[in-house]
Amino acid sequence: MVNSHRKLIFKSYAGFYYAAIILPKICFCSQFSVPSSDPFNKDAGAFPVATNGEPFPWRELRLPSGVIPLHYELSVHPNLTSLDFAASEQIEVLVRDATQFIILHSKDLVIMNVTLHSEEDLRYRKPGKRLNVLSYPAHQQIALLVPEKLKADLRYYVAIDFQAKLADGFEGFYKSTYRTLGGETRTIAVTDFEPTEARMAFPCFDEPSFKANFSIKIRRESRHIALSNMPKVKTIELEGGLLEDHFGTTVKMSTYLVAYIVCDFQSVSGITSSGVTVSVYASPEKWSQTHYALEASLKLLDFYENYFDINYPLPKLDLIAIPDFESGAMENWGLITYRETSLLFDPKTSSASDKLWVTRVIAHELAHQWFGNLVTMEWWNDIWLNEGFATYMELISVTATYPELQFDDYFLEVCFEVIKKDSLNSTRPISNEAETPTQIQEMFDMVSYNKGACILNMLKDFLSEEKFRRGVIHYLKKFSYRNAKNDDLWRSLSNSCTEGDFTSGGFCYSDSRRTSSTLTFQGEHVDVKEMMATWTLQKGIPLVVVEQEGPLLRLRQERFLSGVFKEDPEWRALQERYLWHIPLTYSMSSSNAIHRHILNSKTGTLDLPENTSWVKFNVNSNGYYIIHYEGHGWDQLITQLNQNHTLLRPKDRISLLHDAFQLVSAGRLTIDKALDLTRYLQHETSSLALLKGLRYLESFYYMMDRRNISDVTENLKRYLLQYFKPVIDRQSWSDEGSVWDRMLRSELLKLACDLNHAPCIQKAADLFSQWMESRGKLNVPTDVLKIVYSVGAQTTTGWNYLLEKYELSMSGAEKNKILYALTTSKHQEKLMRLIQLGMEGKIIKTQDLAALLHAIARNPKGQQLAWNFVRENWTHLLKKFDLGSFAVRMIISGTTSHFSSKDELQEVKRFFEFLKAQGSHLDVFQIILETISKNIKWLEKNLPTLRSWLLVRT
């Protein structure tokens, strides 16, 4: 999934930070008995109580493993007028252990009737046995009670009739609407089941390890089409003009990957080189925006089949843009659902960053067809095996198929983004316990996605690309249609296997049969499992402290903690028991060669050639660690950057900028030293390095502006416009250049206009006037659209016109840019109007509410407004989104995590304590509190030095 994304591919949207169960009449407790081996046989009090007051025969959140599903036959009839659905299913199960009950997941479904058939019943056409049903909503479970014990090693068939309303939110089987150009509102029905919402659409074994085959039938009206995971094999005409589409039986897969949709969309199709039909669907008036997605999907699917050496196993792949979708996308096998802005590309309104985003999300979801779908993590604690790998494969696939997008350079930001969270004490390990649905939802975060991808990239760099790829192929082939754990991956990546090694389905070993996770590195045995356990089973990120003493280089590793200084009393306790096996890389002033060393102890030493003036660690930023150069280390690197920055690789220059400012937040480097490092940027030719340095200075400006520290704000503004004037003046208001030239242009011109740079404001205002006069028909260059709209939104006439255009626009990319511009207004009544529209969900869709509140909170005139709104309307927000959803986490962090005063910290603390008292707890609460505390300490420590540094230079 992309979060975003919940699938968290996390996207800052182009400037947005971004049932009741009806039970059969009576249940007699004597109808079931608990086997003596059952853990609940201790006493009657051990049983939970079902909704009808009877004992519920299972108390665990996880389902028992004594009964497993083999095949579901599911028939669904959604009514898009009454907004409900009726359905029936038959589940073929295999009983492993004799039992008198079957536990299934079910949530908000009305169970009408349940019958059980044995194989003998079906063979001789005997009537089935009607079963009593118990419901335990706290665990979203139902118990089917059988009159006679089910025998081990036999198959049975459970038939269930049920019905429900189409859900109002974004989970289960829910309704979505879109408006035509003529103003008509149309409704479609769509599913979204990951992680634990298949149970909202049909009773099922809703855990990833209960894989089964699915045969699906959908009833619909003739004006609609139905889509599901597999191709349609036939359509039957029913009474009353209804049609019933029958779809092919799926491969063996988890419930969260099941999908079906009823809509009136149109598609564009193509065929891959291996014969897979790929189709991209969108609402009729957005069909013209599907062509880039088709092109990208065909190229990427071909790439993955070749890279993984495994053909995509289904005959078709559909990608569909859903009008209402909470996350970025969802990888349902054969029917991938997307938020419109993650799939559709409009050349007139989509910028360079929009194109990169669409390509990334498509690459992410297609990678899931292997990582996640073909091989699935055993439980949600290892969701990173799905999401981290899919994020990593974005890097590999997009770099290979669209080199002009230069995603290899952007991947640095994927790692830098998660380091901000991972350097807090409140972070979590990649592999982390998760049991409840809310805990599972919270696993879809940057640690699973970004950190997972970054440690895989580090391991690939350590093993070599070819060896890593061979291990990945081994892992996928060995565990196809099965479930896997962390250790299974490490064993596969330790092996140097070839095609012939897979014939027996066993392991092959590298070099010798030492252990299945050992390989040789520079003459020493390295246990990959042991090494990678230090990255997946313990939280945080290491700091490697480097100090040069003549020809000797001393190394020391610590846990890197942002916002906790070495002199703080808690620092030492937070360091205890942390040790990583770090695959270090480094280069030196004396040669361009890349040297390697594994630091698997607290300290180490390296010998240097004579006359080595500087050493740079973490070559090309492939490693997931921070480097601090003690002694004269930083001074030597700053001198080199000022003399000839090109002796350092572009990515190494970027990582120096990143590490320096991270070290400032940990109190290990003074801010004036980090700012001195940026002075070389006037000679920088890498757009990405310029962007990195610019963003730090920009973030300081916005922080000072929000806190109304006017003297520093003005001096920062003066310094930025003075220091970056040559590069600002070089920017054209066009879409020319490489992808990073274009992104630099967007960022620089946006900053210049934010700083009220007169030439920028004038140019943007002129373009906005021309655009308004043309009634929106003038093609403004896409890379400057957001800037033009933002300047135009500062007048009442411009703001109102933009809101009208927002309502009418058929381009999601354009709507995002307009909505961002609307949130930059200095008038609180306009900002409040936007929030009201977001809550209503018609003009501004509910799916965009989280990003809207985040953007308004970043506006100094809107930060208190957004925060007050969240506190006062918390219960209303929870009616729109699940507590653990990405949207709720984005709302709460987006409106608070920029705070930097003690009063604000106390306000947020009180609110979180109030929520906890009501039973609402999220792990993100502690992350936010720690972030605010870090901001406070940052200002206390660095504001005087920043003020002095600017006074000397402005």
Side-chain angles (χ1 to χ4, degrees):
M1 190 195 299
V2 170
N3 268 341
S4 26
H5 7 110
R6 82 182 160 261
K7 267 202 173 193
L8 290 150
I9 293 175
F10 296 89
K11 176 169 187 196
S12 300
Y13 290 115
F16 271 43
Y17 277 116
Y18 144 348
I21 303 293
I22 295 179
L23 300 170
K25 300 171 184 174
I26 299 174
C27 163
F28 295 100
C29 296
S30 59
Q31 286 187 309
F32 71 93
S33 61
V34 181
S36 58
S37 61
D38 192 284
F40 302 110
N41 203 32
K42 294 168 188 171
D43 59 84
F47 291 100
V49 178
T51 50
N52 69 344
E54 300 290 346
F56 191 82
W58 189 252
R59 68 181 176 195
E60 303 295 330
L61 275 166
R62 300 277 291 273
L63 298 181
S65 58
V67 179
I68 60 170
L70 302 175
H71 182 235
Y72 294 77
E73 287 188 14
L74 179 62
S75 178
V76 185
H77 178 198
N79 186 321
L80 300 188
T81 304
S82 58
L83 302 178
D84 54 19
F85 68 94
S88 62
E89 68 179 343
Q90 178 177 278
I91 312 174
E92 178 186 354
V93 299
L94 173 65
V95 175
R96 287 171 164 171
D97 304 314
T99 182
Q100 278 197 267
F101 56 83
I102 298 172
I103 308 295
L104 293 171
H105 285 113
S106 178
K107 181 184 177 186
D108 299 338
L109 300 173
V110 179
I111 309 295
M112 311 299 291
N113 188 48
V114 182
T115 56
L116 177 76
H117 290 83
S118 65
E119 289 187 291
E120 183 182 335
D121 291 339
L122 291 181
R123 192 178 303 120
Y124 297 106
R125 299 189 177 182
K126 292 181 181 178
K129 300 175 181 66
R130 186 166 180 176
L131 303 186
N132 284 333
V133 181
L134 293 177
S135 170
Y136 187 50
H139 288 179
Q140 301 173 359
Q141 292 171 357
I142 56 173
L144 312 181
L145 311 179
V146 298
E148 297 175 10
K149 187 177 288 188
L150 302 180
K151 296 176 182 176
D153 302 320
L154 291 184
R155 297 184 182 201
Y156 295 85
Y157 300 82
V158 180
I160 307 176
D161 298 323
F162 57 98
Q163 63 187 33
K165 300 290 289 182
L166 288 170
D168 286 326
F170 304 92
E171 298 163 332
F173 194 22
Y174 70 93
K175 61 180 182 291
S176 173
T177 60
Y178 71 94
R179 286 184 65 181
T180 66
L181 269 176
E184 178 192 358
T185 298
R186 295 182 182 176
T187 302
I188 69 169
V190 60
T191 58
D192 191 47
F193 293 160
E194 191 181 28
T196 59
E197 280 78 47
R199 64 193 69 172
M200 294 176 67
F202 57 99
C204 56
F205 298 80
D206 199 13
E207 294 178 6
S209 61
F210 287 108
K211 291 193 171 189
N213 305 99
F214 296 81
S215 300
I216 295 173
K217 302 172 186 174
I218 305 290
R219 294 186 178 184
R220 60 176 174 87
E221 296 179 42
S222 58
R223 63 194 172 101
H224 292 128
I225 61 168
L227 300 170
S228 190
N229 304 84
M230 295 296 287
K232 184 172 65 176
V233 293
K234 65 177 177 181
T235 299
I236 296 173
E237 196 164 339
L238 305 174
E239 291 181 8
L242 281 179
L243 302 175
E244 184 176 77
D245 292 329
H246 293 215
F247 297 90
T249 300
T250 70
V251 295
K252 194 176 177 185
M253 65 186 198
S254 305
T255 48
Y256 77 86
L257 295 170
V258 173
Y260 39 90
I261 296 169
V262 175
C263 64
D264 62 348
F265 287 6
Q266 295 175 358
S267 67
V268 57
S269 300
I271 299 176
T272 66
S273 57
S274 62
V276 178
T277 300
V278 177
S279 304
V280 181
Y281 287 82
S283 57
E285 286 158 331
K286 295 178 182 175
W287 175 85
S288 62
Q289 299 173 45
T290 59
H291 299 284
Y292 175 70
L294 178 64
E295 173 208 303
S297 302
L298 291 168
K299 285 175 77 168
L300 287 159
L301 201 60
D302 278 340
F303 171 82
Y304 283 135
E305 287 191 323
N306 176 65
Y307 184 90
F308 296 134
D309 193 32
I310 301 171
N311 282 340
Y312 173 75
L314 308 187
K316 67 92 175 175
L317 175 62
D318 297 333
L319 299 83
I320 182 167
I322 305 299
D324 299 279
F325 204 76
E326 186 180 349
S327 62
M330 176 58 214
E331 67 267 18
N332 317 298
W333 216 343
L335 177 55
I336 306 176
T337 43
Y338 292 80
R339 187 182 274 239
E340 289 182 331
T341 48
S342 298
L343 185 67
L344 304 181
F345 181 81
D346 176 15
K348 291 183 178 179
T349 58
S350 298
S351 64
S353 59
D354 293 328
K355 189 171 193 176
L356 178 59
W357 173 249
V358 168
T359 314
R360 283 183 64 191
V361 181
I362 293 172
H364 186 101
E365 303 309 320
L366 264 59
H368 272 313
Q369 307 303 294
W370 286 265
F371 278 101
N373 299 10
L374 184 65
V375 179
T376 311
M377 76 277 139
E378 193 168 283
W379 182 247
W380 300 107
N381 63 305
D382 278 334
I383 185 59
W384 85 275
L385 288 174
N386 286 19
E387 299 303 348
F389 248 112
T391 306
Y392 167 75
M393 287 310 301
E394 293 173 35
L395 168 66
I396 302 302
S397 62
V398 175
T399 300
T401 53
Y402 288 92
E404 68 276 14
L405 293 179
Q406 298 174 267
F407 184 57
D408 180 47
D409 293 329
Y410 183 84
F411 191 76
L412 297 180
E413 283 301 319
V414 171
C415 302
F416 294 161
E417 186 179 17
V418 69
I419 285 170
K420 283 185 285 190
K421 174 181 177 179
D422 211 27
S423 61
L424 299 174
N425 187 47
S426 51
T427 188
R428 65 167 179 85
I430 286 180
S431 185
N432 197 46
E433 186 176 325
E435 292 296 327
T436 69
T438 296
Q439 290 169 345
I440 291 167
Q441 281 183 312
E442 284 205 274
M443 290 293 289
F444 289 83
D445 66 357
M446 277 193 289
V447 172
S448 291
Y449 285 76
N450 299 38
K451 185 177 180 180
C454 296
I455 67 161
L456 288 171
N457 186 55
M458 178 173 67
L459 183 57
K460 179 262 297 182
D461 183 63
F462 170 67
L463 295 175
S464 82
E465 190 151 3
E466 187 49 42
K467 186 172 182 62
F468 184 85
R469 181 186 173 197
R470 284 203 306 269
V472 165
I473 292 170
H474 177 243
Y475 170 77
L476 289 173
K477 289 187 174 181
K478 179 173 176 61
F479 294 99
S480 289
Y481 305 105
R482 295 166 58 194
N483 298 80
K485 297 180 294 212
N486 261 343
D487 290 356
D488 299 319
L489 176 63
W490 307 141
R491 279 192 288 268
S492 292
L493 288 171
S494 301
N495 293 323
S496 303
C497 301
T498 59
E499 184 62 32
D501 297 312
F502 298 113
T503 53
S504 66
F507 273 122
C508 61
Y509 298 85
S510 62
D511 306 323
S512 68
R513 291 179 174 269
R514 291 185 302 275
T515 75
S516 59
S517 61
T518 305
L519 51 80
T520 302
F521 172 76
Q522 295 183 350
E524 296 181 14
H525 297 331
V526 177
D527 189 318
V528 173
K529 175 186 169 183
E530 185 183 354
M531 180 170 101
M532 296 311 294
T534 69
W535 297 95
T536 58
L537 302 183
Q538 74 180 345
K539 66 182 183 178
I541 179 172
L543 169 68
V544 179
V545 181
V546 178
E547 186 165 15
Q548 186 176 344
E549 295 179 2
L552 197 65
L553 204 61
R554 297 195 182 278
L555 308 176
R556 182 175 81 251
Q557 66 162 289
E558 303 171 1
R559 180 183 173 197
F560 180 71
L561 288 164
S562 180
V564 182
F565 301 159
K566 202 168 182 178
E567 58 269 23
D568 292 343
E570 68 267 30
W571 184 87
R572 189 167 298 281
L574 294 174
Q575 294 290 330
E576 287 178 4
R577 296 187 301 279
Y578 282 90
L579 180 72
W580 286 265
H581 293 193
I582 310 172
L584 296 172
T585 57
Y586 60 100
S587 60
M588 298 175 283
S589 57
S590 50
S591 90
N592 206 33
I594 299 174
H595 304 269
R596 296 179 183 274
H597 174 74
I598 296 179
L599 183 63
N600 53 14
S601 57
K602 281 286 189 182
T603 60
T605 57
L606 292 172
D607 294 321
L608 296 177
E610 287 185 21
N611 302 319
T612 300
S613 59
W614 54 261
V615 181
K616 166 65 177 69
F617 275 79
N618 199 3
V619 178
N620 281 325
S621 272
N622 284 318
Y624 188 76
Y625 49 88
I626 304 283
I627 296 288
H628 178 36
Y629 303 92
E630 278 197 337
H632 298 295
W634 280 106
D635 292 330
Q636 290 163 343
L637 287 162
I638 290 169
T639 299
Q640 182 59 64
L641 286 171
N642 285 324
Q643 288 175 354
N644 182 4
H645 64 277
T646 62
L647 286 186
L648 287 152
R649 297 168 177 85
K651 287 183 183 177
D652 286 339
R653 305 197 295 267
I654 294 165
S655 74
L656 284 173
L657 289 163
H658 170 264
D659 285 5
F661 284 103
Q662 290 302 309
L663 289 163
V664 170
S665 72
R668 302 300 284 269
L669 194 68
T670 58
I671 192 169
D672 55 342
K673 186 78 73 180
L675 290 167
D676 287 346
L677 179 68
T678 67
R679 297 289 290 174
Y680 95 93
L681 287 171
Q682 59 191 316
H683 307 298
E684 181 59 83
T685 51
S686 161
S687 293
L688 198 56
L690 267 169
L691 263 174
K692 190 66 188 168
L694 180 71
R695 281 172 180 162
Y696 282 115
L697 295 165
E698 193 179 354
S699 69
F700 300 156
Y701 170 78
Y702 291 127
M703 180 193 284
M704 301 302 144
D705 192 30
R706 280 195 299 270
R707 282 297 306 275
N708 197 27
I709 305 171
S710 55
D711 64 318
V712 181
T713 303
E714 281 305 308
N715 284 337
L716 261 170
K717 172 181 169 180
R718 194 176 299 118
Y719 177 75
L720 282 163
L721 289 175
Q722 170 191 313
Y723 191 70
F724 288 98
K725 186 178 187 303
V727 69
I728 290 171
D729 290 347
R730 285 200 302 271
Q731 303 308 310
S732 63
W733 292 67
S734 69
D735 288 337
E736 296 166 357
S738 72
V739 66
W740 286 111
D741 291 340
R742 295 176 64 183
M743 288 194 190
L744 178 64
R745 174 186 303 129
S746 295
E747 191 106 3
L748 270 171
L749 293 178
K750 176 185 175 297
L751 176 63
C753 281
D754 283 353
L755 298 175
N756 287 315
H757 185 46
C760 184
I761 296 287
Q762 187 60 54
K763 180 66 175 178
D766 290 346
L767 283 170
F768 187 77
S769 296
Q770 293 166 30
W771 178 73
M772 270 187 68
E773 286 165 12
S774 73
R775 303 181 64 82
K777 291 183 172 57
L778 175 72
N779 287 334
V780 177
T782 60
D783 294 334
V784 298
L785 257 183
K786 189 171 71 174
I787 304 159
V788 171
Y789 291 160
S790 297
V791 170
Q794 302 315 307
T795 68
T796 298
T797 304
W799 196 91
N800 290 335
Y801 184 72
L802 281 166
L803 186 57
E804 287 173 25
K805 289 296 292 183
Y806 180 86
E807 189 172 358
L808 297 172
S809 176
M810 284 291 153
S811 163
E814 181 179 45
K815 287 171 85 84
N816 267 351
K817 294 174 181 64
I818 293 175
L819 191 55
Y820 172 80
L822 293 170
T823 67
T824 64
S825 172
K826 305 293 189 293
H827 300 283
Q828 289 196 341
E829 67 275 11
K830 289 185 171 65
L831 301 178
M832 197 63 227
R833 170 82 174 128
L834 294 176
I835 294 174
Q836 289 165 350
L837 291 173
M839 289 296 284
E840 288 167 10
K842 293 176 182 175
I843 293 173
I844 298 175
K845 282 186 166 286
T846 303
Q847 66 175 8
D848 296 317
L849 181 59
L852 172 69
L853 287 167
H854 192 294
I856 289 173
R858 287 303 182 270
N859 178 342
K861 298 295 184 185
Q863 56 182 348
Q864 198 61 39
L865 184 77
W867 167 229
N868 289 342
F869 177 83
V870 169
R871 284 186 293 173
E872 292 162 11
N873 293 273
W874 182 253
T875 54
H876 298 296
L877 291 168
L878 287 188
K879 289 175 185 174
K880 295 179 180 293
F881 307 105
D882 267 7
L883 176 64
S885 66
F886 176 63
V888 164
R889 285 179 280 145
M890 186 181 188
I891 287 168
I892 194 70
S893 63
T895 54
T896 58
S897 59
H898 59 285
F899 287 158
S900 56
S901 75
K902 290 178 180 176
D903 287 346
E904 290 167 329
L905 176 62
Q906 290 308 312
E907 259 188 23
V908 176
K909 265 185 183 172
R910 284 194 295 271
F911 182 57
F912 288 170
E913 285 163 4
F914 167 72
L915 294 182
K916 284 179 189 176
Q918 290 189 320
S920 296
H921 174 71
L922 292 172
D923 290 343
V924 77
F925 291 172
Q926 188 55 38
I927 293 167
I928 291 165
L929 293 175
E930 198 175 336
T931 300
I932 299 171
S933 297
K934 182 184 83 169
N935 295 342
I936 293 167
K937 288 183 77 170
W938 192 98
L939 274 174
E940 288 173 350
K941 188 171 185 71
N942 296 303
L943 181 58
T945 310
L946 176 61
R947 180 179 273 124
S948 302
W949 191 89
L950 286 167
L951 283 171
V952 172
R953 288 163 180 81
T954 52

